[in-house]
Amino acid sequence: MKTFILLFGCKDQKGIVARISDFILKHDGNIITADQYSTDPEGGHFFIRVEFVLGQDQYKKNDLTLEFSPIGSQFGASWNFYDKSETLRMGICVSEPDHCLVDLLYLWSSGELNVEIPFVLSNVEKHRKLAASYNVPFHYICADKNNRKEDELLSYALNSTDFLVLARYMLVLSPDFLQKYNKDIINIHHGFLPFFKGADPAAKALEEGVKVIGSTAHFVNNELDEGPIIAQEVQNVSHKDSREDLVRKGKNLEKKALASAIASYIDYRVIRYENKTIVF
Amino acid sequence: MKTFILLFGCKDQKGIVARISDFILKHDGNIITADQYSTDPEGGHFFIRVEFVLGQDQYKKNDLTLEFSPIGSQFGASWNFYDKSETLRMGICVSEPDHCLVDLLYLWSSGELNVEIPFVLSNVEKHRKLAASYNVPFHYICADKNNRKEDELLSYALNSTDFLVLARYMLVLSPDFLQKYNKDIINIHHGFLPFFKGADPAAKALEEGVKVIGSTAHFVNNELDEGPIIAQEVQNVSHKDSREDLVRKGKNLEKKALASAIASYIDYRVIRYENKTIVF
Amino acid sequence: MKTFILLFGCKDQKGIVARISDFILKHDGNIITADQYSTDPEGGHFFIRVEFVLGQDQYKKNDLTLEFSPIGSQFGASWNFYDKSETLRMGICVSEPDHCLVDLLYLWSSGELNVEIPFVLSNVEKHRKLAASYNVPFHYICADKNNRKEDELLSYALNSTDFLVLARYMLVLSPDFLQKYNKDIINIHHGFLPFFKGADPAAKALEEGVKVIGSTAHFVNNELDEGPIIAQEVQNVSHKDSREDLVRKGKNLEKKALASAIASYIDYRVIRYENKTIVF
Amino acid sequence: MKTFILLFGCKDQKGIVARISDFILKHDGNIITADQYSTDPEGGHFFIRVEFVLGQDQYKKNDLTLEFSPIGSQFGASWNFYDKSETLRMGICVSEPDHCLVDLLYLWSSGELNVEIPFVLSNVEKHRKLAASYNVPFHYICADKNNRKEDELLSYALNSTDFLVLARYMLVLSPDFLQKYNKDIINIHHGFLPFFKGADPAAKALEEGVKVIGSTAHFVNNELDEGPIIAQEVQNVSHKDSREDLVRKGKNLEKKALASAIASYIDYRVIRYENKTIVF
């Protein structure tokens, strides 16, 4: 038995679910889970994620795609089938600190993060040892703010990855790179977006005397720390917490928000829509 | 336009969603939200809640019921249609303290709890004033542990309510009452079930030195504090918290858990299954 | 036995605790709880809150104040004794909605909020009934954005209150009023400050697609929604939450944050320092 | 400058803080933080933790101990001074899974867990590689439920460690071992104690249909999973969570609860009292 996922979005209208479920039934399939959302049943946009098994092995993703095409056209939808047995290839970029890198590699090695990791790439040489201990290729690029070596990054990432994760990568990626790479990039920001953008959010939180801090995993777009939010984690703090305490507590939030966002993403539960996300 | 909800459960098998969505389409309906769950796609039990609008006003709940019958039979399902414009009648039973009663009446009066309240019933006379200030009928019954006056309660509740809420009602209802009333009863327990059953959970929490306390809204069944859990709320506590602090903090949890459970229940989001609940 | 609280702050230096505890011992007192905080043991500012009982009844707050004066002067401190048996007078100002008003009145009537409430003041007449049901005087002022009637507010508040609570009062208080009233004012903001200032934070949260919303209780100062933060509450939200859902969930957070801030304040646990708060 | 910590407990009585702070002042010290707690100001037990710096380097822990002795005797107290520059030696015992081990080693290596780690000990050989990558000695003991090899464990632990952490160590330690080792042992339990003791708490949580799961770090005593609770973490779950989901979510809670408990413990913030803990 093979498991497939259909992600589908179009202008809300009658008969979508009937048509999709009929399609699955006619392929002798059984729906395992389905999630749907409409921004507004009157004239809004409709999204659905259907996970289903096909009892017979003869169908491949391409067959389904071909046969579903008329339905997609009928509704004016954007849609995609995914084969759950195909794992996505996730490139990791990291500078410092490395707590998210450590967490992702461990989750991956213990089977809790179902991806391939073609490489860890860093402008900090010392992470090589960690990558090696997990038998993951490591690429060092001699990059800093003045020379981001984006061509080098692109040459590593373009063909070998399905998406990139910036696990505390301190070099802002240029619009030019984003356009050339043209796939999803997930960043972890150590603050509670849409606020405390940019550097040193812990210092800003301290200055404002907030009683709650946060961390945000989001898609990267052309604006710094402004892409669609996927996951956020928060924690209470008090006047006793020093800047170091906030950084330390923030690390836990970052690990949790990033791992949670990636888990949703690789299970095709995240849909981007109007600079926001739907997370099924 | 009228909004209906279908709750449907049967042995998991192929074609359920297709059949249901086709039925809705043929009645010129549009699915607003759908949630489904299977205990196991292989031989498990399948549940679905579908909320949909019918563009034409001619259909009534009874028509849908009649016409859906063959489909229900085909799958061997238990199912029901609900008309969202019909509000449920919720009887409230309360002893002391009255924080949940106050909360429910306020939520109701401010339009956040879409029910009718045929009465507040209590073995404590002083709640009459509060009920009166909301223009809700109040029934005093002179009941205590030795004489629970369940016949009196039954005579008030049987025909005038669709379900009962025990908002800190201190008299345990007998199996005989449950059988005669034969509708859902939701209780708030001031502890973290399945533990700290029975009286004074705060004292037990204090004795055990727990660092987290909880509160549980659950269906009532024949076993004390053992019915299916609907909602639970928790909060951190510390050695500094006295018994009074635990009680006070617990009250917040009780209000939140009970209001949340009722909100899910009256929107037909709660399904009982094998002494557990599915809360869509 | 009488219980007193000393709040004390000065430049951090040696011997403060020794001197204070010696003072209490010489008055035959026993320290119940003490909390202290230093912004920096090297040249920072030191704060301490000491709650103690005096075995003999002859001492009054004024005696302690007089006798402690030399110690306060020695350390260049600002300090105050409070008699725990004297309750503070809290004026409540409210527009709409009234959920915080309802919550505060209930907590007060059930003995969980140890204050006097000299009045509820509103520019919305209909809250009169609620105040009356709690036997609390109600003042209606015919105020709106164009005419805030601050003189009228001041005439009610100046002598009869120790502090004011803005329980969703929609009229911004002018610097002139703040100067004339010259006591603490606690506001509840229905958003996660220092962000989402001003009107309709739910709409802003929705637009940004945040996955967590918050609420903030803070002191009022001359800048809109910029005073020192006392308490913040947060809750997860998702794409499913409509603007109405965010408002409803926000109400819970507002009640909790405001009640928590007031509870700390009236127990003299809140110290303002450099536009932040220390909350013991 | 040297930083010391005094932990002190005795029957509550007058003058304790005065006497302790006077002692520190006479040694030219400055109190950085102080936390105190009394189970009951009338006849209860009093606990205080004082962290202070001494300006002059001549004092050692032993000097302070000697000189404080008369004060301790005067109050009938149990007390201890700790030198904050001396790090505790923490032995780690682990079976499977290894997520807590990974987390502790990383926190330690990144400077967030200020201990020495004399060894990782396991009855699972494969953790050797991980320990080696952090340059921590690894001891394999060929132990199972029928032969726990406690003598071997004791020979490794007795002299080289100040306390033990059971980071998912699956062999219950015997009363005999506890008596011979006679130092603190911290265990992480993958359930919400005092409930769900023993094996497979996830299965029990699933069966009961709870909506919140937890994890508990506690001291080990002679009763299985019954020692004083130090820290607990909780998380919401739903009917959708399978046993695997509960295990995965539980791992996060375990890491957080264990790291938090250890952080408090090595900073001398944890006091055991009557099978409960005070955590300052």
Side-chain angles (χ1 to χ4, degrees), chain C residues 38-168:
Chain C
S38 175
T39 59
D40 186 347
E42 301 278 326
H45 210 83
F46 174 89
F47 302 94
I48 190 166
R49 177 192 182 280
V50 187
E51 188 169 335
F52 58 97
V53 287
L54 293 192
Q56 295 162 302
D57 277 352
Q58 81 257 37
Y59 291 110
K60 296 203 163 42
K61 197 170 68 179
N62 287 345
D63 303 326
L64 294 172
T65 300
L66 196 67
E67 292 168 30
F68 190 80
S69 269
I71 301 175
S73 300
Q74 168 195 341
F75 290 110
S78 40
W79 54 277
N80 252 310
F81 282 95
Y82 301 95
D83 181 334
K84 208 161 178 174
S85 67
E86 296 172 4
T87 51
L88 291 173
R89 298 167 301 160
M90 174 179 92
I92 303 178
C93 302
V94 61
S95 300
E96 282 191 299
D98 62 354
H99 57 291
C100 285
L101 175 63
V102 168
D103 196 52
L104 293 179
L105 288 175
Y106 177 71
L107 291 175
W108 171 73
S109 75
S110 64
E112 292 184 31
L113 196 58
N114 187 27
V115 292
E116 286 176 50
I117 303 184
F119 62 76
V120 170
L121 178 147
S122 180
N123 58 342
V124 178
E125 171 63 29
K126 71 172 178 188
H127 302 321
R128 184 182 298 275
K129 192 185 153 199
L130 178 65
S133 78
Y134 283 100
N135 293 319
V136 170
F138 179 83
H139 303 316
Y140 171 73
I141 62 170
C142 180
D144 59 25
K145 281 183 184 171
N146 299 316
N147 189 350
R148 299 179 187 181
K149 299 284 176 69
E150 293 191 337
D151 287 348
E152 212 173 334
L153 170 55
L154 189 67
S155 72
Y156 286 123
L158 189 56
N159 294 315
S160 73
T161 65
D162 293 309
F163 70 109
L164 284 179
V165 166
L166 309 185
R168 299 294 301 271

Side-chain angles (χ1 to χ4, degrees), chain A residues 35 97-100 102-103 106-107 110 112 129-130 133-135 235 240 248 251-252 255-256, chain D residues 35 97-100 102-103 106-107 110 112 129-130 133-135 235 240 248 251-252 255-256:
Chain A
D35 296 276
D98 62 355
H99 57 291
C100 284
V102 168
D103 195 52
Y106 176 72
L107 290 176
S110 64
E112 292 183 31
K129 191 186 155 199
L130 178 65
S133 78
Y134 283 99
N135 294 318
Q235 180 172 351
K240 287 190 205 170
R248 184 173 48 77
K251 282 182 178 178
N252 257 321
K255 288 192 291 186
K256 205 169 168 192
Chain D
D35 295 277
D98 62 354
H99 57 290
C100 284
V102 168
D103 195 52
Y106 176 72
L107 290 175
S110 64
E112 292 183 32
K129 192 185 154 201
L130 178 65
S133 78
Y134 284 100
N135 293 318
Q235 179 173 351
K240 288 189 203 168
R248 184 174 47 78
K251 283 182 177 177
N252 257 320
K255 288 192 291 184
K256 206 169 166 193

Side-chain angles (χ1 to χ4, degrees), chain D residues 92-220:
Chain D
I92 303 177
C93 302
V94 61
S95 300
E96 283 190 298
D98 62 354
H99 57 290
C100 284
L101 174 64
V102 168
D103 195 52
L104 292 180
L105 288 174
Y106 176 72
L107 290 175
W108 170 73
S109 75
S110 64
E112 292 183 32
L113 195 58
N114 187 28
V115 293
E116 286 176 50
I117 301 182
F119 62 76
V120 169
L121 177 146
S122 182
N123 59 340
V124 178
E125 172 62 30
K126 71 172 179 189
H127 303 319
R128 182 183 299 276
K129 192 185 154 201
L130 178 65
S133 78
Y134 284 100
N135 293 318
V136 170
F138 179 84
H139 304 316
Y140 171 75
I141 63 170
C142 181
D144 58 25
K145 280 181 185 176
N146 300 315
N147 189 348
R148 300 180 185 182
K149 300 284 178 67
E150 292 192 337
D151 287 348
E152 210 172 334
L153 170 53
L154 190 67
S155 73
Y156 286 124
L158 188 57
N159 294 315
S160 73
T161 64
D162 294 308
F163 69 109
L164 284 180
V165 167
L166 310 185
R168 300 293 301 269
Y169 190 60
M170 293 296 106
L171 304 175
V172 179
L173 299 173
S174 70
D176 181 59
F177 176 87
L178 298 183
Q179 189 179 22
K180 284 177 179 160
Y181 181 62
N182 199 28
K183 303 175 194 179
D184 288 326
I185 303 174
I186 296 174
N187 182 49
I188 182 69
H189 179 70
H190 47 320
F192 187 64
L193 293 179
F195 321 110
F196 293 158
K197 292 171 188 173
D200 209 349
K204 289 170 191 162
L206 201 66
E207 191 187 318
E208 296 283 355
V210 295
K211 304 297 187 189
V212 174
I213 58 168
S215 179
T216 306
H218 64 100
F219 286 115
V220 174

Side-chain angles (χ1 to χ4, degrees), chain B residues 100-172:
Chain B
C100 285
L101 174 65
V102 168
D103 196 51
L104 293 180
L105 288 175
Y106 177 72
L107 291 175
W108 171 72
S109 74
S110 64
E112 291 183 32
L113 195 58
N114 186 29
V115 293
E116 286 176 50
I117 302 183
F119 61 77
V120 169
L121 178 146
S122 182
N123 58 341
V124 178
E125 172 62 30
K126 71 172 180 189
H127 302 320
R128 185 183 298 275
K129 191 184 154 198
L130 178 66
S133 77
Y134 283 100
N135 295 319
V136 170
F138 179 83
H139 303 317
Y140 171 74
I141 62 170
C142 181
D144 57 26
K145 281 182 185 173
N146 300 316
N147 188 349
R148 300 181 185 180
K149 300 283 177 70
E150 294 192 335
D151 286 348
E152 210 174 334
L153 170 54
L154 190 66
S155 72
Y156 286 124
L158 190 57
N159 294 315
S160 72
T161 64
D162 295 308
F163 71 109
L164 284 179
V165 167
L166 309 185
R168 300 294 299 271
Y169 191 61
M170 292 297 107
L171 304 175
V172 179

